[in-house]
Amino acid sequence: MLVSALVTSLAINSGLCVLFFVMYSVLRKQPTNYEVYMPRVLAEGNARRGSRFKLVRLIPSPGWVMRAWKLSEEELLSSSGLDTVVFMRTITFCLKVFTFAGIIGIFVLLPVNCTGTQLHEIDFVNFSNNSLDVFTISNVNNASKRLWIHFSAVYVLTIVICCLLYYEYRYISSKRIAFFLSSKPQPHQFTILVRSIPVSVGSSVSETVESFFKEYHPTTYLSNIVIRRTSKLHALINEAKKQYKRLVHLQTGPSQQKYKRLGFFGHKVDLVDHYEKKLEDIEQSVKLEQSEVSLAEDTQAAFVSFKSRYGAAIAFHLQQSINPTHWITEQAPEPNDVYWPFFSSSFIRRWVSKLVVIVACILLTILFLIPVVVVQGLTNLSQLEIWFPFLKSILTITFVSQVITGYLPSLILQLFLKIVPWIMELLSSIQGYISHSDIEKSACNKVLWFTIWNIFFATVFSGSVLYQLSIFLDLKNIPSKLAVAVPAQASFFIAYVVTSGWTSTATELFRLIPFIFSLVARCFAKREDEELEIPSIPYHRDIPRILFFGLLGITYFFLAPLILPFLLVYLCLAYIIFRNQFINVYTPKYETAGKFWPTVHNSMIFSLILMHAIAVGIFTVKKLSLASTLILPLPVLTLLFNEYCRKRFLPIFVAYSAEVLIKKDREDQNDAEMAEFFDKLATAYQDPALMPVHYSTNTGSLNSPLLSSSEV
Amino acid sequence: MLVSALVTSLAINSGLCVLFFVMYSVLRKQPTNYEVYMPRVLAEGNARRGSRFKLVRLIPSPGWVMRAWKLSEEELLSSSGLDTVVFMRTITFCLKVFTFAGIIGIFVLLPVNCTGTQLHEIDFVNFSNNSLDVFTISNVNNASKRLWIHFSAVYVLTIVICCLLYYEYRYISSKRIAFFLSSKPQPHQFTILVRSIPVSVGSSVSETVESFFKEYHPTTYLSNIVIRRTSKLHALINEAKKQYKRLVHLQTGPSQQKYKRLGFFGHKVDLVDHYEKKLEDIEQSVKLEQSEVSLAEDTQAAFVSFKSRYGAAIAFHLQQSINPTHWITEQAPEPNDVYWPFFSSSFIRRWVSKLVVIVACILLTILFLIPVVVVQGLTNLSQLEIWFPFLKSILTITFVSQVITGYLPSLILQLFLKIVPWIMELLSSIQGYISHSDIEKSACNKVLWFTIWNIFFATVFSGSVLYQLSIFLDLKNIPSKLAVAVPAQASFFIAYVVTSGWTSTATELFRLIPFIFSLVARCFAKREDEELEIPSIPYHRDIPRILFFGLLGITYFFLAPLILPFLLVYLCLAYIIFRNQFINVYTPKYETAGKFWPTVHNSMIFSLILMHAIAVGIFTVKKLSLASTLILPLPVLTLLFNEYCRKRFLPIFVAYSAEVLIKKDREDQNDAEMAEFFDKLATAYQDPALMPVHYSTNTGSLNSPLLSSSEV
């Protein structure tokens, strides 16, 4: 790729970003868009839907940037929880790393690379005709002493990142503990989930649980709620909700809609009656199903609550039964975080579903490569000309060719990647996790490794999956193969950062899809009194993206430091935009109290090890074998550092220590509200599908969140 | 190797075995050898040292074989503990597996191999001139349909082994729990070891522990004993013991020994006075050191005892402190199992020593290859003739060449291997384990992997370590390389089983080294009143050996089934001999209640996977690629089975469940002896080096185990 192509891509994307920013600054002030751009503010009742037209609304103002910038961490913590803080700290962590790396890269490494003559000398006269490869390490002469500068840079960056990782892990650990200590008593702190309960014939699950825990935890046991298989019920209730919505719509709508011919020649019927009857039917079957489900206790799982956090922790940590596959205990999620539909009971079935998910992930990886290969073909102009000879005349136009090489490839990739988080979430939900947070955490890991494999490695070693696998099976030659392939793709990834990174933040700000959605809804469906849904941030989409850019930055830092400024711009944009979205749009759906951080940490360690592997290969290829030998201690030390962090910090993210739990329990002893809390605790984990339903009585607003918005 | 060479080796070894058996049958009846052949019986006072000569003593009698054969598992359990039972069950497990494998191998696979013609047809006329390769899979014709028999055999054996493993694991788990439930209250059940205690300035470790556990475990905490660094003291006490022994020897010996010139021209001195004075000096310094050590509390570790097993388990399982690297808890070993010399305190120091041990193991592996390569050279006659041309005339004698190819190589290897368990135990003791049992368990693993690497892989891929490593780094080609190399060494390993296996059991029975030792001691040192030391079985020497033969049997089962009868003979010998030794010789030093079984299980699983890898390679080499593809599910299923066993059984071997602990605690509540037990518990973990010493007063027999035998 030439400098000019990069400049074109830069221009297009900067233009797009500015456009999105301006449009956002205007559109966000229109009351009709409040639901898209500030649903959170709306739900909190802080926004007035003034409908009077004002001129000031049409002038873009950057006030929101200032507000996002000024938001302090404490405010963020109190308004959006610790997960959000951790998410923002991931961005600031990358910012810190790449500010440091950028200074070294641009002011030290880049000049060294440019002044090399291995590929060709830099052409200052016709600057835009330079290949981007001139700025990479490939241009440094073989066996040059200057490579020691790169060598030192690798060492320095590794040390800096490890230090930062250590301090960050420590900071977030302390935040996590402080968060727990300052939290109010919450049901999930007192509760565990017990699975694989061995039920003897003639007694119910509830009785078995009761007798077991009264026997072995007599002083701390409080109550239990047996889990029922309610996936069928959930489907019925959703159906009922849909019918109810339709009914409400009909009743409030104009009267001509209320009658409709049945069949083509049939007589007109009152649709309200019709739907009401249908709703009643569904409700009947819901009630029937509920009573049926209440009798069947085939999940052999129960939420068991205790009188103290420490009691719950003891039951969670100790193996309960002689048979380790019975009475398996797990920490309970928050009540609203429980993923009800899937409670596969048996040990074996969970295994099978896990295996199925693994196979599905592999299949997805294989199938996904097809678009990636197409994209690879598109970046290669001559290939395109061979495939589509009739395009030859168009492709010779400089601008078109620049757009194609610089912009189009990563845009296509981007579009395909948009659906991956969604698929991975689906797969994780099949895997048998019991909470939304676990599903998202697992999906987050899946998406991350998918991205690394399917974007990084598939781009670097373009070819079939089998070819890629064969590279990784030959452990000895990985570094040298990486060293040849990775620098060759530097220009692709620079373009990728600009297109995918910049555009993704801009669309995140502009919320393109919800915006279009609301526009369409307003035009066609008139003003349906739709429930105001406040979205939550999909961590499994955004964390892997940031971490992947982190990986690109770290691995290309000493190969092609030109990538760093673009990364920094991306991170700055992300910093402002996500803060703005946390103020205006997203509200947390659950609270894991920072459990996403270990994923971030592991990804950074992996990036470092990958950088070291590439460095070993590069110095060998560049005929500086002493340097490649001297790099070898670095991955070992990094892994030792990681091992230390696993020992020092990871346990804090798995469970709370006895010290903390007992301290918290003692605080509660003097709390008068605890009796009330325990009363609530006994029913906190009731499956919502088993609660009574009343839709058919028109005024009934019981248990229907729909009504809350229709009454506004 | 030719059949005749194998027969020669067989003849020599059978002769040796018979010789050892006969000699043992005679020698064991001589009262002077009781200390060698039945120290345990002697210590239990069941053997009378009748010194009258009887003719019957000189006639070898096989009565001991009957006694060993008749010993039931319950008797073994009550007399030698669960570890011994597990050890014997390892042998019977192998016996079961190889009886089954032997039937298939000899009656099905061997005829198939013999009737092949790939290498050469079998020569029935001149049978002893057949190469042993005729009996291996290499002789089956390429792409022959008969290879499907081998294919089925691999499947059948895998299934049989997995079933047996499952039932064995289940049986031993239940035995372990039953053993615990029937055990008396023991100190280690109520105690945990706490390390990395953060001591604030101005308070002692003991106070810190006391206040911490009284704060967080007020109802269950009983007492604590701080651990002191006593390695220097141990050395001093050993010195004192030695001096004391010398003194006792002088006092009871003839009087001319009591005087000795000091220097060459010095005057005679009373040696008794001299040693007594020296002993007093040492004792003074011991007392000084003891008081010094009692003040210094620099290990930051303590044994903390609880009032119930459940209380100890809670403290062990839960992370105690906010900082996971402080207050690290471990299960305490039995008091007499504690390895006092090494209590490195800090987190970092234990890390460093672990790293050092790993490096030392690698070094040992590299250095050890030198004798192995020499041994490899010896097996190759023509190589030997090139090296030592002057031996040519001797080497052409058939008998000599047969001895050299059939017997010598593995004997040399064997001698080198003798020292490995000892070195590995030393390395494990440096690694920072706190008990002898942990050290032996770790050494057992080390010796096992060392044996597999340095005998199996080094023989198969003879060559430098780097060459071997390069094979394992190229994951893709491992099966094909194994397929070529492993069958080629079949005859070596058959000879190895006969020489190393059979001889090792015979020497085990005959106790060659202790016998020579006692002989020498009797001849030269006259009858020193040496303490009767009852040896304990070195599991880290014997378990790896049996498991390695298991690996050989499983991997060569379908390649060269001829190995199986020899293995069976070995196992039968081992079965009888070890039972005999447990009756007469060994007494357990500690009780891990079966914790060695997971090692056995893992080793078997590894052997299976190795067999599958070889099978994949063999069928590819034999041009039956469908079979090699159809083998692939087998390792996956085996690993899944292993994963299931890890979930189902392994937790039982790590810690006892709440159910069991509470049951046991409740039994104790009504026990009147518990008060007395708790009194003892408070001092059970007192370091023996810190107990008062009294050697210089001649009659003082306090705390000196030496005296117990001198008083007999």
Side-chain angles (χ1 to χ4, degrees):
Chain A
M1 197 158 88
L2 301 181
V3 171
S4 53
L6 179 68
V7 172
T8 314
S9 172
L10 262 180
I12 294 175
N13 283 289
S14 309
L16 274 177
C17 282
V18 170
L19 185 72
F20 276 126
F21 264 66
V22 171
M23 278 173 72
Y24 173 76
S25 301
V26 175
L27 286 173
R28 68 186 288 277
K29 289 195 253 176
Q30 315 309 320
T32 45
N33 292 329
Y34 278 6
E35 276 149 29
V36 178
Y37 293 123
M38 37 180 69
R40 184 177 174 158
V41 181
L42 214 59
E44 284 165 359
N46 295 334
R48 280 162 299 132
R49 289 207 201 205
S51 54
R52 269 184 54 207
F53 180 80
K54 284 179 198 157
L55 189 67
V56 75
R57 276 205 211 132
L58 292 182
I59 302 165
S61 62
W64 60 274
V65 175
M66 275 316 288
R67 237 170 296 138
W69 174 260
K70 275 186 184 158
L71 184 75
S72 75
E73 194 173 289
E74 282 70 42
E75 286 164 10
L76 195 63
L77 182 65
S78 63
S79 69
S80 297
L82 192 53
D83 285 336
T84 313
V85 171
V86 167
F87 179 78
M88 284 315 300
R89 285 198 77 93
T90 307
I91 296 176
T92 47
F93 176 82
C94 289
L95 264 174
K96 281 181 210 162
V97 167
F98 293 122
T99 309
F100 178 82
I103 291 168
I104 294 185
I106 298 300
F107 296 109
V108 182
L109 300 181
L110 199 63
V112 173
N113 293 346
C114 289
T115 51
T117 53
Q118 185 69 26
L119 299 179
H120 22 248
E121 278 189 54
I122 194 160
D123 183 359
F124 284 105
V125 185
N126 205 344
F127 195 80
S128 68
N129 255 348
N130 277 313
S131 162
L132 282 180
D133 293 338
V134 173
F135 303 102
T136 69
I137 199 171
S138 312
N139 201 35
V140 180
N141 299 34
N142 282 352
S144 161
K145 288 265 175 282
R146 293 183 174 187
L147 285 169
W148 287 104
I149 299 174
H150 295 84
F151 173 86
S152 325
V154 170
Y155 258 87
V156 169
L157 187 72
T158 305
I159 293 167
V160 167
I161 291 182
C162 285
C163 288
L164 283 175
L165 276 176
Y166 176 80
Y167 286 114
E168 201 66 30
Y169 221 149
R170 199 175 65 174
Y171 179 80
I172 291 171
S173 304
S174 69
K175 276 276 162 193
R176 182 173 154 87
I177 291 167
F179 187 80
F180 178 75
L181 285 176
S182 66
S183 68
K184 293 210 160 198
Q186 282 170 331
H188 68 276
Q189 296 168 347
F190 292 82
T191 309
I192 60 169
L193 171 68
V194 182
R195 294 216 234 196
S196 303
I197 300 165
V199 185
S200 52
V201 183
S203 67
S204 70
V205 175
S206 181
E207 285 164 15
T208 314
V209 172
E210 184 103 11
S211 69
F212 185 88
F213 282 94
K214 277 202 172 153
E215 170 84 15
Y216 296 112
H217 300 269
T219 54
T220 52
Y221 170 74
L222 183 70
S223 65
N224 76 76
I225 290 176
V226 175
I227 294 162
R228 266 100 184 176
R229 191 162 288 144
T230 51
S231 38
K232 215 167 146 191
L233 247 175
H234 276 278
L236 275 174
I237 288 175
N238 283 340
E239 179 62 28
K241 273 188 192 169
K242 217 159 57 185
Q243 292 293 343
Y244 178 70
K245 222 188 274 180
R246 219 177 270 174
L247 194 65
V248 170
H249 185 220
L250 272 178
Q251 284 173 333
T252 54
S255 60
Q256 68 267 31
Q257 285 186 354
K258 287 181 189 173
Y259 298 93
K260 194 187 168 188
R261 284 181 194 277
L262 269 182
F264 201 70
F265 295 105
H267 58 285
K268 281 188 177 182
V269 287
D270 187 341
L271 276 179
V272 172
D273 277 3
H274 175 72
Y275 281 122
E276 233 168 35
K277 203 161 169 282
K278 218 168 166 189
L279 190 59
E280 262 169 45
D281 285 354
I282 296 174
E283 215 164 277
Q284 273 308 314
S285 45
V286 164
K287 274 176 191 158
L288 207 77
E289 178 75 21
Q290 276 183 344
S291 57
E292 250 174 49
V293 162
S294 305
L295 293 173
E297 293 190 318
D298 51 354
T299 60
Q300 300 182 344
F303 285 107
V304 179
S305 296
F306 291 84
K307 285 180 196 140
S308 68
R309 295 174 186 83
Y310 187 56
I314 289 173
F316 160 60
H317 282 285
L318 264 74
Q319 178 198 324
Q320 293 300 313
S321 151
I322 292 177
N323 184 337
T325 54
H326 290 165
W327 297 101
I328 298 170
T329 52
E330 253 176 88
Q331 285 169 317
E334 291 169 333
N336 57 346
D337 187 21
V338 177
Y339 181 71
W340 293 104
F342 198 81
F343 261 104
S344 73
S345 57
S346 72
F347 200 68
I348 297 297
R349 203 180 137 189
R350 254 176 293 157
W351 257 42
V352 172
S353 47
K354 247 187 199 172
L355 285 180
V356 168
V357 168
I358 290 170
V359 172
C361 277
I362 292 169
L363 275 181
L364 185 65
T365 312
I366 294 171
L367 290 180
F368 191 83
L369 269 182
I370 298 164
V372 172
V373 170
V374 171
V375 168
Q376 288 300 314
L378 283 177
T379 57
N380 193 343
L381 262 190
S382 54
Q383 186 65 43
L384 213 60
E385 283 176 21
I386 293 166
W387 285 355
F388 311 102
F390 54 89
L391 287 178
K392 212 164 191 173
S393 54
I394 304 173
L395 290 175
T396 44
I397 303 168
T398 323
F399 181 76
V400 171
S401 75
Q402 280 171 357
V403 166
I404 286 176
T405 54
Y407 189 69
L408 211 59
S410 41
L411 190 73
I412 294 171
L413 192 63
Q414 185 66 13
L415 287 176
F416 275 99
L417 282 173
K418 280 263 182 261
I419 52 165
V420 171
W422 181 81
I423 298 173
M424 290 301 182
E425 193 183 3
L426 190 77
L427 288 177
S428 289
S429 70
I430 300 170
Q431 219 174 327
Y433 289 107
I434 51 156
S435 63
H436 295 285
S437 59
D438 281 343
I439 290 172
E440 285 207 7
K441 228 164 45 193
S442 156
C444 180
N445 280 315
K446 286 200 184 80
V447 174
L448 178 61
W449 297 115
F450 178 91
T451 316
I452 292 175
W453 179 262
N454 257 316
I455 302 187
F456 190 79
F457 289 120
T459 308
V460 166
F461 304 117
S462 53
S464 70
V465 179
L466 287 176
Y467 170 70
Q468 288 177 53
L469 278 177
S470 77
I471 287 174
F472 282 93
L473 286 177
D474 190 2
L475 297 174
K476 219 177 7 172
N477 296 324
I478 291 178
S480 60
K481 282 191 180 147
L482 280 175
V484 174
V486 173
Q489 296 297 334
S491 49
F492 171 79
F493 283 118
I494 293 176
Y496 181 80
V497 170
V498 174
T499 51
S500 166
W502 292 15
T503 325
S504 73
T505 52
T507 47
E508 168 65 46
L509 176 70
F510 194 65
R511 304 198 75 220
L512 196 62
I513 292 156
F515 178 68
I516 294 171
F517 221 75
S518 91
L519 218 62
V520 171
R522 253 181 291 152
C523 293
F524 291 92
K526 275 119 200 177
R527 188 164 184 84
E528 247 190 69
D529 263 318
E530 267 294 338
E531 162 190 22
L532 177 72
E533 255 187 84
I534 312 170
S536 65
I537 182 166
Y539 286 118
H540 58 293
R541 186 195 69 190
D542 289 313
I543 292 182
R545 187 183 291 152
I546 294 166
L547 293 180
F548 181 67
F549 285 120
L551 178 115
L552 284 184
I554 291 174
T555 46
Y556 277 101
F557 150 70
F558 75 106
L559 299 174
L562 200 61
I563 203 172
L564 297 170
F566 302 110
L567 263 181
L568 277 173
V569 171
Y570 162 73
L571 289 168
C572 290
L573 288 178
Y575 181 77
I576 289 296
I577 287 170
F578 279 111
R579 282 174 151 241
N580 177 60
Q581 302 300 73
F582 285 126
I583 298 175
N584 294 318
V585 181
Y586 296 131
T587 189
K589 199 163 65 183
Y590 52 76
E591 179 64 62
T592 69
K595 280 195 177 182
F596 281 95
W597 183 257
T599 305
V600 176
H601 180 89
N602 291 339
S603 159
M604 289 293 159
I605 296 286
F606 176 79
S607 307
L608 283 176
I609 301 291
L610 188 63
M611 171 171 82
H612 300 152
I614 296 170
V616 168
I618 279 277
F619 291 129
T620 314
V621 168
K622 285 272 167 195
K623 303 196 170 55
L624 202 73
S625 55
L626 179 62
S628 74
T629 314
L630 287 179
I631 286 285
L632 288 179
L634 210 46
V636 175
L637 291 175
T638 309
L639 288 176
L640 283 179
F641 164 76
N642 185 37
E643 195 54 36
Y644 176 76
C645 286
R646 283 176 66 85
K647 287 244 167 72
R648 172 67 183 84
F649 300 113
L650 196 59
I652 297 174
F653 289 81
V654 175
Y656 294 103
S657 65
E659 199 176 344
V660 176
L661 291 167
I662 293 174
K663 203 179 276 175
K664 201 70 188 134
D665 280 338
R666 290 204 182 133
E667 272 174 28
D668 288 343
Q669 276 170 0
N670 311 321
D671 196 341
E673 287 169 22
M674 284 311 285
E676 196 188 335
F677 171 76
F678 284 130
D679 284 347
K680 276 188 202 157
L681 183 56
T683 55
Y685 285 94
Q686 193 73 51
D687 192 333
L690 291 173
M691 307 235 179
V693 277
H694 295 284
Y695 287 120
S696 46
T697 51
N698 292 350
T699 50
S701 64
L702 277 165
N703 191 36
S704 163
L706 301 168
L707 290 178
S708 55
S709 67
S710 66
E711 283 171 349
V712 168
Chain B
M1 197 159 87
L2 300 180
V3 172
S4 53
L6 179 66
V7 172
T8 314
S9 172
L10 262 180
I12 295 176
N13 283 287
S14 308
L16 275 177
C17 282
V18 171
L19 186 73
F20 276 127
F21 264 66
V22 171
M23 279 175 71
Y24 173 75
S25 301
V26 175
L27 286 174
R28 66 186 290 277
K29 290 195 251 176
Q30 315 308 320
T32 45
N33 293 329
Y34 279 6
E35 276 150 29
V36 179
Y37 294 122
M38 38 181 67
R40 182 176 175 160
V41 181
L42 216 59
E44 284 165 0
N46 295 334
R48 281 162 300 133
R49 289 207 201 205
S51 54
R52 269 181 55 205
F53 180 81
K54 286 178 195 155
L55 188 68
V56 77
R57 277 206 212 132
L58 292 183
I59 301 166
S61 61
W64 60 271
V65 176
M66 277 315 291
R67 235 169 297 135
W69 174 259
K70 276 185 183 159
L71 184 74
S72 74
E73 195 173 289
E74 281 71 42
E75 286 165 7
L76 194 64
L77 182 64
S78 63
S79 68
S80 296
L82 191 55
D83 285 336
T84 314
V85 171
V86 167
F87 179 78
M88 284 314 301
R89 286 198 76 91
T90 307
I91 296 177
T92 47
F93 176 82
C94 288
L95 263 174
K96 282 180 211 162
V97 167
F98 292 122
T99 310
F100 177 83
I103 291 168
I104 294 185
I106 298 300
F107 297 109
V108 182
L109 298 181
L110 199 63
V112 173
N113 293 345
C114 289
T115 51
T117 54
Q118 184 71 24
L119 299 178
H120 23 247
E121 282 191 46
I122 194 161
D123 183 359
F124 285 104
V125 186
N126 207 343
F127 194 80
S128 68
N129 257 348
N130 278 313
S131 162
L132 283 180
D133 293 339
V134 174
F135 303 101
T136 67
I137 198 171
S138 312
N139 201 37
V140 180
N141 298 33
N142 282 352
S144 160
K145 289 264 173 283
R146 294 183 173 188
L147 285 169
W148 286 104
I149 300 174
H150 295 83
F151 173 86
S152 325
V154 170
Y155 257 87
V156 168
L157 187 73
T158 305
I159 292 166
V160 167
I161 292 182
C162 285
C163 288
L164 283 175
L165 277 177
Y166 176 80
Y167 286 114
E168 201 65 32
Y169 221 149
R170 197 175 65 173
Y171 179 81
I172 292 172
S173 304
S174 69
K175 277 275 161 192
R176 182 174 156 85
I177 291 166
F179 187 81
F180 178 75
L181 285 176
S182 66
S183 68
K184 295 209 157 195
Q186 283 172 330
H188 68 276
Q189 295 167 347
F190 293 83
T191 309
I192 60 169
L193 171 68
V194 182
R195 293 214 235 196
S196 304
I197 301 166
V199 185
S200 52
V201 183
S203 67
S204 70
V205 175
S206 181
E207 285 164 15
T208 313
V209 173
E210 185 104 10
S211 69
F212 184 87
F213 282 94
K214 279 202 170 153
E215 171 84 15
Y216 296 112
H217 300 269
T219 53
T220 53
Y221 171 75
L222 183 71
S223 64
N224 76 76
I225 290 176
V226 174
I227 294 162
R228 265 98 187 177
R229 191 162 288 144
T230 53
S231 40
K232 212 167 149 191
L233 246 175
H234 276 279
L236 275 175
I237 288 174
N238 282 341
E239 178 64 27
K241 275 187 191 168
K242 217 158 56 183
Q243 293 292 343
Y244 179 72
K245 220 187 277 180
R246 218 178 270 175
L247 195 65
V248 170
H249 186 220
L250 273 179
Q251 284 172 332
T252 55
S255 60
Q256 70 266 30
Q257 282 187 354
K258 290 182 188 172
Y259 298 93
K260 193 187 168 190
R261 280 179 198 278
L262 268 184
F264 201 70
F265 296 103
H267 56 284
K268 282 188 176 179
V269 286
D270 187 341
L271 276 179
V272 174
D273 277 4
H274 174 73
Y275 281 123
E276 234 169 33
K277 204 162 166 284
K278 219 168 161 186
L279 191 58
E280 263 170 43
D281 285 354
I282 294 173
E283 215 165 280
Q284 273 308 315
S285 43
V286 165
K287 276 177 190 158
L288 206 76
E289 179 73 22
Q290 278 181 342
S291 57
E292 251 175 49
V293 163
S294 306
L295 292 173
E297 295 189 318
D298 50 355
T299 60
Q300 299 182 344
F303 284 107
V304 180
S305 295
F306 291 84
K307 285 178 196 143
S308 69
R309 295 174 186 83
Y310 187 55
I314 289 173
F316 160 60
H317 282 285
L318 263 75
Q319 179 198 322
Q320 294 299 314
S321 153
I322 292 177
N323 184 337
T325 55
H326 289 163
W327 298 102
I328 298 171
T329 53
E330 255 177 88
Q331 284 170 318
E334 292 171 331
N336 58 346
D337 188 20
V338 178
Y339 181 71
W340 292 104
F342 198 80
F343 262 104
S344 74
S345 56
S346 72
F347 199 71
I348 296 297
R349 205 180 136 188
R350 257 177 290 157
W351 256 44
V352 172
S353 45
K354 248 188 199 170
L355 285 180
V356 168
V357 169
I358 290 168
V359 172
C361 277
I362 292 168
L363 275 181
L364 185 65
T365 312
I366 293 171
L367 290 179
F368 192 83
L369 269 183
I370 298 165
V372 172
V373 170
V374 172
V375 168
Q376 288 299 315
L378 284 177
T379 57
N380 192 342
L381 264 189
S382 54
Q383 186 65 43
L384 213 61
E385 282 176 21
I386 294 165
W387 285 355
F388 311 104
F390 53 88
L391 286 180
K392 212 164 192 174
S393 54
I394 305 173
L395 290 175
T396 45
I397 304 168
T398 324
F399 181 76
V400 171
S401 73
Q402 280 172 355
V403 166
I404 286 176
T405 54
Y407 189 69
L408 212 58
S410 42
L411 190 72
I412 294 172
L413 191 63
Q414 185 66 12
L415 287 177
F416 275 99
L417 282 174
K418 281 261 182 262
I419 51 166
V420 171
W422 181 81
I423 298 173
M424 289 302 183
E425 192 182 6
L426 190 78
L427 288 177
S428 290
S429 70
I430 300 171
Q431 220 174 325
Y433 288 108
I434 52 156
S435 64
H436 295 285
S437 58
D438 281 343
I439 290 172
E440 286 207 8
K441 226 163 50 197
S442 156
C444 181
N445 281 316
K446 285 199 184 80
V447 174
L448 178 62
W449 296 116
F450 178 90
T451 317
I452 291 175
W453 179 261
N454 257 315
I455 303 187
F456 190 80
F457 289 119
T459 309
V460 167
F461 305 116
S462 53
S464 70
V465 179
L466 287 177
Y467 171 69
Q468 287 178 55
L469 278 177
S470 76
I471 286 174
F472 283 92
L473 286 178
D474 190 3
L475 299 173
K476 218 179 4 174
N477 295 323
I478 291 179
S480 60
K481 283 192 178 147
L482 279 174
V484 174
V486 174
Q489 297 296 333
S491 50
F492 172 79
F493 282 119
I494 293 175
Y496 181 81
V497 170
V498 174
T499 51
S500 166
W502 293 15
T503 326
S504 73
T505 53
T507 48
E508 168 66 46
L509 176 70
F510 195 65
R511 304 197 77 221
L512 196 63
I513 293 158
F515 179 68
I516 294 171
F517 221 75
S518 92
L519 219 63
V520 171
R522 254 181 289 152
C523 293
F524 291 90
K526 276 116 201 177
R527 190 167 181 78
E528 248 191 68
D529 265 318
E530 266 295 338
E531 164 192 20
L532 177 73
E533 256 188 83
I534 311 170
S536 66
I537 182 165
Y539 287 116
H540 59 293
R541 185 195 69 190
D542 289 313
I543 291 180
R545 187 183 290 151
I546 295 165
L547 293 181
F548 180 65
F549 285 121
L551 178 115
L552 284 184
I554 292 173
T555 47
Y556 277 101
F557 151 70
F558 76 107
L559 298 175
L562 200 62
I563 204 172
L564 297 169
F566 303 110
L567 262 182
L568 277 173
V569 171
Y570 162 74
L571 289 169
C572 290
L573 288 178
Y575 180 76
I576 289 295
I577 287 170
F578 277 111
R579 283 174 150 243
N580 178 59
Q581 302 301 75
F582 284 127
I583 298 174
N584 294 319
V585 182
Y586 297 131
T587 191
K589 200 163 65 182
Y590 52 78
E591 180 64 61
T592 68
K595 280 194 177 181
F596 282 95
W597 183 257
T599 305
V600 177
H601 180 89
N602 291 340
S603 160
M604 290 293 160
I605 295 287
F606 176 78
S607 307
L608 283 177
I609 300 291
L610 188 63
M611 172 173 80
H612 301 152
I614 296 170
V616 169
I618 279 278
F619 291 126
T620 313
V621 168
K622 285 273 167 196
K623 300 193 172 56
L624 202 73
S625 54
L626 178 62
S628 74
T629 314
L630 288 178
I631 286 285
L632 288 180
L634 210 46
V636 175
L637 291 175
T638 310
L639 288 177
L640 283 179
F641 165 76
N642 186 37
E643 196 53 37
Y644 175 76
C645 286
R646 284 177 65 86
K647 287 242 167 74
R648 171 68 184 83
F649 300 114
L650 196 59
I652 298 173
F653 289 82
V654 175
Y656 294 103
S657 64
E659 197 176 346
V660 176
L661 292 167
I662 292 172
K663 203 179 277 177
K664 200 72 188 137
D665 281 337
R666 291 205 182 133
E667 273 175 26
D668 288 343
Q669 276 171 2
N670 312 322
D671 196 340
E673 286 170 24
M674 284 310 285
E676 197 188 333
F677 171 77
F678 283 128
D679 283 348
K680 276 189 201 156
L681 182 56
T683 55
Y685 284 93
Q686 193 71 54
D687 191 334
L690 291 173
M691 307 238 180
V693 280
H694 293 287
Y695 288 121
S696 46
T697 53
N698 293 348
T699 50
S701 64
L702 277 166
N703 191 37
S704 161
L706 300 166
L707 290 177
S708 55
S709 68
S710 67
E711 283 170 352
V712 167

